[in-house]
Amino acid sequence: MPPIPKPTASTVRAIYQAYEDANEHYDSLGISVGEIGHECDRYLWYNLRWASAPEAIEGRKLSIFRTGDRWEEVLVSDLERIGVDVWGQQDRIRLAGGHIRGKCDGKAIGIPEAPKTEHLCEFKSSNEKSFKDIVKLGCEKAKPLHYGQCQIGMHAFGLSRALYLVVNKNDDARYAERIEYDASYCLRQIARAERIIGLNEPPSRISDKPDIPPCLFCKHKAVCHEDAWPRPTCRSCLHSTPEMSGDAHWSCARWSKPLSIDEQKAGCPAHLFLPGLVPGTLVDSDEENETVTYTLRNGSEWVDGGGNVEARSE
């Protein structure tokens, strides 16, 4: 039999718990620049519509994230040490009415390969395996999400080059790659995001096999494949609309008003699910009473409207 595992020390458990207690669970206000290159349209749509609860991240992983933040500081220091000017850390990226959003790691002048060219900076830390893949294949093939982040950042700030700088967390090796702006790629991704933002139904699944990648570890697996109920927020309601003017604004047709972030999270008694989020088939609707009737996949009938949450608690 395998050896009995040793318990984690109380001190270590307390440290991890402190990270978890300090972590703010938040919903993305739009499509993240860091995920715009994601292969699954449905994943991005579920993110935008807050279909699943924010992930509960364990303390050890939160510690890894904090270490990644510190590596960004180190890489900025590395560039400044060789005479590169770095500025604009955390400058905001806002596209498609603010629904495409993110921040850049910085901008730089004085990169040795092209000293006079202003570069967008994207800093990453990587484990041994991923680092070797990046060195072998380059950013676009090895890390398509990072590539998308670089491209959309360049597009947002009107830059023609990005410096993708990665450190191997195992041995401190560095990898630097200058990425050229690809206007065609950016316009396709922005058009794709705008299409996803405007959809009132979830896009098609990328796969109907939930037990293998890419669906196996997806945070939306339960809602997408397992008939789990989505969260009843304004973003899952058929009365709401993402507006394409302003900064990620949403409005409610039922109450004829703009919606604050707090209002979007709270929802209201008039909430009606977007039909594509209900694990069943729409069979009837009553505009006067503001109800929608479904036959659920278990064969039962469920009426959405009037604050009815009975089926969702099963």
Side-chain angles (χ1 to χ4, degrees), residues 282-288 290-293:
L282 190 154
V283 294
D284 195 16
S285 61
D286 185 335
E287 290 189 17
E288 182 177 351
E290 297 185 71
T291 61
V292 183
T293 303

Side-chain angles (χ1 to χ4, degrees), residues 24-145:
E24 295 183 15
H25 299 284
Y26 70 95
D27 294 291
S28 175
L29 300 186
I31 295 176
S32 167
V33 171
E35 294 191 315
I36 199 168
H38 197 285
E39 59 187 330
C40 181
D41 289 3
R42 195 176 180 107
Y43 171 91
L44 295 176
W45 189 84
Y46 280 143
N47 272 0
L48 180 73
R49 293 286 178 168
W50 296 346
S52 304
E55 293 180 278
I57 305 174
E58 64 176 9
R60 188 182 66 83
K61 185 176 288 188
L62 290 168
S63 178
I64 292 173
F65 294 161
R66 300 293 81 77
T67 301
D69 293 341
R70 291 192 291 272
W71 268 117
E72 288 186 19
E73 298 172 7
V74 170
L75 293 176
V76 170
S77 178
D78 285 348
L79 291 177
E80 292 175 338
R81 191 184 304 274
I82 62 171
V84 177
D85 291 327
V86 183
W87 72 95
Q89 291 96 319
Q90 304 304 304
D91 280 358
R92 301 193 311 169
I93 296 169
R94 298 290 186 267
L95 298 167
H99 296 289
I100 298 174
R101 53 199 302 118
K103 296 177 181 179
C104 76
D105 289 342
K107 299 159 195 168
I109 284 280
I111 303 300
E113 290 86 348
K116 296 182 180 180
T117 300
E118 183 178 342
H119 287 66
L120 180 84
C121 294
E122 193 59 48
F123 304 126
K124 299 295 181 184
S125 56
S126 177
N127 61 30
E128 178 80 10
K129 181 180 182 304
S130 291
F131 187 83
K132 287 182 176 179
D133 288 342
I134 294 168
V135 172
K136 179 180 179 181
L137 301 173
C139 177
E140 182 176 5
K141 292 184 178 179
K143 296 291 181 181
L145 296 187

Side-chain angles (χ1 to χ4, degrees), residues 27 149 272 284 313:
D27 294 291
Q149 199 169 5
L272 290 172
D284 195 16
S313 64

Side-chain angles (χ1 to χ4, degrees), residues 121-259:
C121 294
E122 193 59 48
F123 304 126
K124 299 295 181 184
S125 56
S126 177
N127 61 30
E128 178 80 10
K129 181 180 182 304
S130 291
F131 187 83
K132 287 182 176 179
D133 288 342
I134 294 168
V135 172
K136 179 180 179 181
L137 301 173
C139 177
E140 182 176 5
K141 292 184 178 179
K143 296 291 181 181
L145 296 187
H146 296 175
Y147 182 78
Q149 199 169 5
C150 290
Q151 287 293 344
I152 298 302
M154 284 188 282
H155 182 87
F157 295 115
L159 301 176
S160 62
R161 294 291 187 277
L163 176 69
Y164 179 62
L165 186 58
V166 188
V167 62
N168 184 330
K169 294 183 289 187
N170 293 69
D171 63 5
D172 269 25
R174 267 58 164 182
Y175 171 83
E177 178 181 343
R178 294 179 65 235
I179 297 173
E180 185 175 357
Y181 172 61
D182 185 338
S184 177
Y185 173 93
C186 291
L187 294 176
R188 289 196 309 272
Q189 290 291 5
I190 292 169
R192 174 196 180 212
E194 290 177 341
R195 174 178 56 81
I196 291 169
I197 292 162
L199 289 175
N200 290 321
E201 297 285 322
S204 299
R205 292 189 184 97
I206 194 172
S207 170
D208 289 321
K209 298 178 179 179
D211 296 327
I212 61 174
C215 300
L216 179 59
F217 300 112
C218 178
K219 65 182 180 182
H220 300 299
K221 179 182 175 183
V223 172
C224 186
H225 288 282
E226 299 170 356
D227 289 349
W229 286 89
R231 298 160 62 196
T233 69
C234 287
R235 294 204 180 188
S236 62
C237 178
L238 57 79
H239 294 305
S240 70
T241 300
E243 302 292 345
M244 298 306 288
S245 60
D247 187 7
H249 290 171
W250 287 68
S251 65
C252 174
R254 172 62 176 78
W255 301 109
S256 300
K257 59 173 286 186
L259 294 166

